[in-house]
Amino acid sequence: ELFKNINETVAHANAATAKISDATDRVAVAVDSYRDLAKDSRERVNELANAYAAGLRDAGVQPGDTVAILMAGSPELVFTTFGINKLGAIWVPTNTDYRKEWLREGLQDSQARVLVVDAPLLPRVAELGPNLPFECVVVNGKSDVALQGVRMVDLAEFGQRSAPEPDVEVAHSDTAAVLWTSGTTGKPKGVMQS
């Protein structure tokens, strides 16, 4: 009975994989009324993920690094996380509702040297002062805010480039993200996801 269930599960997984392989020209990411990204094929999503990976590598991201993310849900968030993972790095999202000390702790606990942030949220980061660990901040959108002594990069430039598949070996068991618990019973804790 156990082997029958395992064989059925494998058969279902193989069928699902075949359907995904057959759907290379179907929609991979759909977003209502969003620039030219409204409907992108799996191939285009991969191209954008490679472009974001190249931009993040230029920003200093290396395999095994953590990258702090302070972004609302958007296609840029999706491509950023894909790009980070293609580099063998780990994305660490921070709750966009956090302010002041909660935000400081979340960003510092990420142990990231690179932060990717939506422009409207950048002033909250700037309010935290100069003692943040970031060497580079990648900004999604236009902002006049800059962090003193930190290299600022425009995320929009990432999608404008063409880049090959990163030459990085990534295993399914590698940590892809660190997600924070809600902190209902105490201080939030990072949980590694692969």
Side-chain angles (χ1 to χ4, degrees), residues 158-190:
F158 292 5
Q160 304 302 317
R161 57 173 71 197
S162 177
E165 196 73 35
D167 187 23
V168 177
E169 281 192 42
V170 179
H172 291 286
S173 59
D174 290 348
T175 300
V178 174
L179 306 178
W180 297 99
T181 62
S182 66
T184 304
T185 60
K187 186 177 178 185
K189 296 162 193 68

Side-chain angles (χ1 to χ4, degrees), residues 25-57:
D25 291 330
R26 294 197 185 139
V27 175
V29 174
V31 179
D32 292 338
S33 66
Y34 187 81
R35 294 195 315 238
D36 298 330
L37 299 177
K39 293 185 178 180
D40 281 322
S41 68
R42 193 175 95 195
E43 181 179 332
R44 180 67 181 133
V45 168
N46 191 55
E47 289 172 2
L48 285 166
N50 289 342
Y52 275 59
L56 289 160
R57 185 184 55 236

Side-chain angles (χ1 to χ4, degrees), residues 70 94-109 121-129 131-134:
L70 186 60
T94 300
N95 188 324
T96 57
D97 288 334
Y98 285 178
R99 289 172 175 23
K100 304 199 188 262
E101 286 310 308
W102 279 72
L103 179 58
R104 177 187 305 285
E105 286 181 24
L107 294 175
Q108 287 178 331
D109 286 351
L121 301 173
L122 188 56
R124 282 195 225 159
V125 176
E127 288 174 4
L128 300 177
N131 296 326
L132 293 172
F134 307 117

Side-chain angles (χ1 to χ4, degrees), residues 59-120:
V61 178
Q62 300 294 316
D65 284 354
T66 54
V67 178
I69 296 178
L70 186 60
M71 299 175 76
S74 66
E76 290 87 0
L77 172 63
V78 173
F79 299 127
T80 297
T81 60
F82 287 173
I84 291 167
N85 289 149
K86 279 181 167 271
L87 293 174
I90 303 160
W91 51 280
V92 184
T94 300
N95 188 324
T96 57
D97 288 334
Y98 285 178
R99 289 172 175 23
K100 304 199 188 262
E101 286 310 308
W102 279 72
L103 179 58
R104 177 187 305 285
E105 286 181 24
L107 294 175
Q108 287 178 331
D109 286 351
S110 73
Q111 299 178 354
R113 293 178 297 115
V114 175
L115 167 66
V116 184
V117 60
D118 284 335

